[in-house]
Amino acid sequence: MTATPSNPASEPIPDAVRMHVDGLEMRYGDFLIQKDLTFDIRKGEVFIIMGGSGCGKSTLLKHMIGLIRPAAGEIYYGDTPFWAQEEDVRQQMMQKVGVLYQQGALWSSMTLAENIAVPLEEYSDLSAKTIREVASLKLALVGLAGFEDFYPSEISGGMCKRAGLARAMALDPDILFFDEPSAGLDPISSKLLDDLILELRDSLGTTIVIVTHELDSIFSIGDNCVFLDAETKTMIATGNPRELRDHSPDPRVRLFLTRGQTDGHEDQRESEQVKR
Amino acid sequence: MAEAETARISTAQQGDATLEVSFSGAFVLAASAPQQIQALQELPASIHKLVLKDEGITEWDSALLILLMEIKQRCEKQEVELDFSGLPKGAQQMIQLASEVPERKGAAHDGKRDSFLVRIGKKSQSTWGEVTGFVTFLGAATISVGRMLTGRAQYRHSEFWAIIQECGPKALGIVTIISVLVGAILAFVGAMQLQMFGAQILVANLVGMGMVVEMGALMTGIILAGRTGASFAAQIGTMQVNEEIDALRTMGIPPMDYLVLPRLVALVIMTPLLVIYADVLGILGGAIIGIFALDIPPVLFFNQTFSSISLWHCAQGLIKGSTFGLLVAIMGCLRGMQCGRSASAVGEATTSAVVSGIVMIVVADAIWTYIFMTVGM
């Protein structure tokens, strides 16, 4: 193995808070999206951000990975407040973070190997040969061995996503963010991706944050979650998704997690109408 | 059903306040609308209930539904009770579904225009936003150039050379065609006037000066705006749509360094070279006309040309050309970075990059020409 995790998971401190979101408020101009978001993400857990369409899940992700500055509140990586830092410090902090975008977001002018090489070229002094080896390894890890010299336009959407994951893993990040990983994948590919995510967590101790509304994924891999609600514009639940499904006091959360199978059937129909 | 039965509607009064409407035949969009619909246009005020009945509807599609929705709306307006339980089950369900969610007020875009003052206000607000956006971009680009000069900018050298190749050598073909033709046109137009004084030889001066000071740079600038500026905007815009730029940012790579800087520098380097090439080709184009159409001896023509233009004239053209290259690159990259997150936004960004690029080229040309004139060399 040419790459070893920069933070070996040999001694995980139990319940160490890896990320802390404190009183976050998100706006587009005057339009409030979500407010009063406060939650912890612990080291080595699979954390799910969920909620109905248009509630601001992806926007929350963009705040957490430093693309949008919060209107109020702060995001802590460990003990370090992220947005209080200067831009170059923030850029440095982002090197510990990997992001898999919805469509992979591979740079289309480069081959897969070159895509993975970019962060390595920027942030390491490795030789071109070693970089190439690391790229091949990462591609092999996501099941794309032999695709080094393909361009993103030459492979399928699901493969683009996996290659995007390989790129996100290039610098052996501590935290991996996934924006709707199963969107546009068939059930089997999406299951394989879930397995891969768990594998990464277990072998490298990577903390995983996933934006999704796929119930299958939520229950099979989620350790902890936050539930965003579009109407009240804040989080209405946090905790283990399986427990929330069975024991949440809030009918809206149970409704979502059971696909509207609870007694609240009529409510959903109504709220659906109000939204339209 | 080879011959669709024509759709028929008949009405019959039942008691004082009830009107029975019977439907029969085929209610399909392809067939013509039944005549009796006119009869339902105006319900007499005495009617309080409308009963719709199926008296042998052979087939139906959206045509029947449109008709029913119309009747339903009329009934609601006139507060007439409507009973369509006698109609086909499927049609009833469809009507139910269509009426379930009430029409959203204000959802349909109303054609109401803002008042004159409001429009002026909105326009000036958005113009101000444009200006601040442009200035911010210029500032960021300048900082980025500073980083490059101190060797701290993050960009791929292979990408830079690819851009150089794309905006320089690959533009030679079209620059050749345009400048030869423009040189020839200048010669023709000049010759017609100068012939009146028997001063055809001055065509050489006209073409030389015209190309070197003005047309070489202007034509190159416009070609670059249409070719390279558009491609910059489309490339960066598409990257914006695909979240590729977000991916750069989250990797701690400033897109300004990685995408904008190599494009700016490449175009600023390549434009003057293209302008020199355009000047030479333009003079050649003029010479073809001078030598073959006006019978000026080649040696005389070229001597006359070179005696008329000075190094300062060439410098003027090159200064203009570099400015144009810079403006084209800035507008292309700026529009690309400002691009929205949809396919149509990429199209708009491209159009806007070309249009604003050309406008800025012409404005900059006017400003430089004025400056050179007042400097008076």
Side-chain angles (χ1 to χ4, degrees):
Chain A
M1 289 265 281
T2 44
T4 46
S6 48
N7 264 352
S10 46
E11 310 164 75
I13 311 155
D15 288 336
V17 174
R18 188 62 191 81
M19 256 187 116
H20 172 62
V21 173
D22 185 36
L24 191 74
E25 183 175 311
M26 312 189 288
R27 290 174 175 278
Y28 274 127
D30 291 336
F31 183 72
L32 176 71
I33 299 166
Q34 290 279 324
K35 62 176 193 300
D36 300 333
L37 302 180
T38 301
F39 54 89
D40 287 339
I41 299 175
R42 287 169 209 292
K43 189 167 165 35
E45 78 182 357
V46 176
F47 188 90
I48 310 257
I49 298 171
M50 60 183 172
S53 301
C55 69
K57 299 187 295 284
S58 291
T59 312
L60 173 59
L61 184 85
K62 284 185 176 163
H63 282 76
M64 294 170 77
I65 59 179
L67 288 175
I68 310 177
R69 182 180 281 277
E74 182 55 278
I75 291 164
Y76 293 83
Y77 275 84
D79 299 327
T80 325
F82 180 76
W83 286 104
Q85 309 297 322
E86 292 292 320
E87 200 185 334
D88 46 339
V89 181
R90 287 208 304 270
Q91 273 178 18
Q92 236 164 25
M93 290 169 77
M94 289 316 295
Q95 292 172 29
K96 289 272 163 222
V97 170
V99 185
L100 173 61
Y101 291 88
Q102 222 174 91
Q103 311 296 335
L106 296 168
W107 298 304
S108 38
S109 60
M110 300 178 215
T111 63
L112 300 191
E114 284 172 339
N115 261 284
I116 300 171
V118 168
L120 294 166
E121 281 166 5
E122 294 297 334
Y123 297 117
S124 71
D125 299 322
L126 301 174
S127 70
K129 186 169 168 287
T130 321
I131 288 181
R132 174 85 187 182
E133 279 168 10
V134 175
S136 296
L137 169 76
K138 302 284 167 175
L139 281 174
L141 283 179
V142 295
L144 286 176
F147 282 92
E148 283 86 348
D149 296 320
F150 279 62
Y151 283 92
S153 55
E154 296 170 334
I155 58 176
S156 73
M159 287 157 91
C160 272
K161 238 173 210 185
R162 277 186 279 154
L165 177 56
R167 185 183 64 186
M169 292 176 355
L171 291 173
D172 298 308
D174 292 346
I175 307 183
L176 264 175
F177 289 90
F178 292 80
D179 191 3
E180 312 237 354
S182 37
L185 292 188
D186 62 82
I188 295 175
S189 312
S190 125
K191 167 81 168 58
L192 286 176
L193 194 62
D194 283 353
D195 293 345
L196 190 59
I197 291 171
L198 282 186
E199 198 89 30
L200 286 176
R201 194 270 304 266
D202 294 339
S203 45
L204 300 176
T206 316
T207 308
I208 311 268
V209 181
I210 305 178
V211 166
T212 187
H213 47 222
E214 282 297 314
L215 291 178
D216 288 344
S217 297
I218 292 175
F219 293 131
S220 59
I221 63 176
D223 296 321
N224 197 354
C225 76
V226 59
F227 187 95
L228 305 185
D229 182 52
E231 271 159 60
T232 51
K233 293 191 184 297
T234 185
M235 52 189 269
I236 53 174
T238 176
N240 184 301
R242 284 170 294 272
E243 274 166 32
L244 285 183
R245 172 187 55 190
D246 301 333
H247 306 296
S248 171
D250 195 318
R252 286 169 296 183
V253 179
R254 286 202 311 272
L255 191 74
F256 182 91
L257 290 174
T258 54
R259 289 184 113 187
Q261 300 290 307
T262 52
D263 40 37
H265 187 80
E266 285 305 307
D267 294 347
Q268 186 178 19
R269 187 92 207 184
E270 266 169 40
S271 65
E272 201 67 72
Q273 284 185 19
V274 172
K275 249 183 257 167
R276 279 199 253 167
Chain B
M1 226 165 284
E3 233 173 88
E5 264 185 84
T6 41
R8 263 191 302 277
I9 298 176
S10 52
T11 51
Q13 187 107 12
Q14 297 268 325
D16 287 343
T18 307
L19 190 68
E20 203 178 83
V21 185
S22 319
F23 293 76
S24 64
F27 288 82
V28 287
L29 286 171
S32 51
Q35 299 299 312
Q36 275 81 354
I37 180 72
Q38 300 298 337
L40 290 171
Q41 213 70 277
E42 291 280 315
L43 289 175
S46 58
I47 301 291
H48 291 300
K49 187 171 181 188
L50 210 58
V51 180
L52 309 186
K53 281 174 78 178
D54 174 5
E55 299 266 297
I57 295 178
T58 49
E59 55 176 328
W60 60 272
D61 61 9
S62 300
L64 179 65
L65 300 181
I66 295 170
L67 194 63
L68 292 177
M69 285 305 276
E70 210 177 311
I71 294 174
K72 186 162 178 288
Q73 272 163 15
R74 192 160 300 134
C75 286
E76 272 162 17
K77 211 158 67 195
Q78 299 193 3
E79 290 173 357
V80 172
E81 198 186 328
L82 181 67
D83 172 16
F84 48 75
S85 56
L87 287 177
K89 257 249 139 24
Q92 284 181 40
Q93 278 166 357
M94 296 300 269
I95 295 292
Q96 196 109 45
L97 197 64
S99 333
E100 208 154 64
V101 181
E103 192 177 340
R104 187 153 131 193
K105 295 279 177 280
H109 292 287
D110 50 357
K112 215 180 82 189
R113 281 163 65 94
D114 290 327
S115 78
F116 183 60
L117 281 177
V118 173
R119 269 182 289 150
I120 289 184
K122 280 187 176 166
K123 190 79 194 161
S124 38
Q125 267 185 339
S126 74
T127 311
W128 180 242
E130 285 265 294
V131 172
T132 51
F134 182 73
V135 174
T136 313
F137 184 84
L138 267 192
T142 313
I143 293 172
S144 193
V145 169
R147 274 203 294 268
M148 189 187 70
L149 293 179
T150 51
R152 286 182 297 124
Q154 301 164 313
Y155 64 93
R156 279 163 67 93
H157 295 274
S158 58
E159 194 113 332
F160 173 68
W161 292 113
I163 296 168
I164 287 263
Q165 155 97 0
E166 178 52 45
C167 67
K170 286 201 174 170
L172 283 179
I174 184 165
V175 172
T176 308
I177 297 174
I178 302 269
S179 24
V180 167
L181 288 179
V182 167
I185 292 166
L186 278 180
F188 255 130
V189 174
M192 282 196 283
Q193 300 299 313
L194 293 168
Q195 240 164 3
M196 293 194 279
F197 313 103
Q200 283 109 313
I201 184 63
L202 291 183
V203 163
N205 297 41
L206 183 78
V207 171
M209 282 286 283
M211 283 312 294
V212 166
V213 176
E214 190 58 58
M215 295 312 278
L218 190 63
M219 283 298 140
T220 310
I222 289 177
I223 292 168
L224 286 181
R227 199 180 171 279
T228 315
S231 97
F232 284 179
Q235 283 166 356
I236 298 181
T238 313
M239 292 185 74
Q240 193 76 266
V241 174
N242 286 342
E243 299 184 305
E244 291 175 42
I245 292 182
D246 288 346
L248 279 178
R249 282 212 179 94
T250 44
M251 252 166 217
I253 303 172
M256 209 66 198
D257 286 13
Y258 205 80
L259 297 174
V260 176
L261 184 64
R263 287 176 167 79
L264 286 186
V265 176
L267 213 48
V268 170
I269 294 175
M270 292 320 283
T271 319
L273 299 179
L274 284 176
V275 169
I276 294 175
Y277 179 76
D279 290 350
V280 173
L281 270 275
I283 291 173
L284 273 182
I288 293 171
I289 300 300
I291 292 163
F292 293 105
L294 307 174
D295 290 330
I296 303 171
V299 178
L300 190 59
F301 187 94
F302 286 114
N303 271 341
Q304 186 70 23
T305 306
F306 294 128
S307 66
S308 69
I309 49 179
S310 67
L311 210 56
W312 169 238
H313 291 135
C314 295
Q316 287 185 20
L318 289 183
I319 292 173
K320 283 181 180 173
S322 308
T323 318
F324 298 164
L326 185 64
L327 288 174
V328 166
I330 288 177
M331 290 325 289
C333 295
L334 172 66
R335 296 300 183 218
M337 295 294 282
Q338 287 174 338
C339 182
R341 305 244 164 183
S342 68
S344 68
V346 176
E348 280 161 27
T350 313
T351 312
S352 160
V354 175
V355 171
S356 47
I358 290 178
V359 169
M360 293 193 89
I361 284 175
V362 175
V363 172
D365 193 14
I367 294 173
W368 273 126
T369 308
Y370 179 77
I371 292 175
F372 292 143
M373 261 176 49
T374 30
V375 170
M377 278 161 75

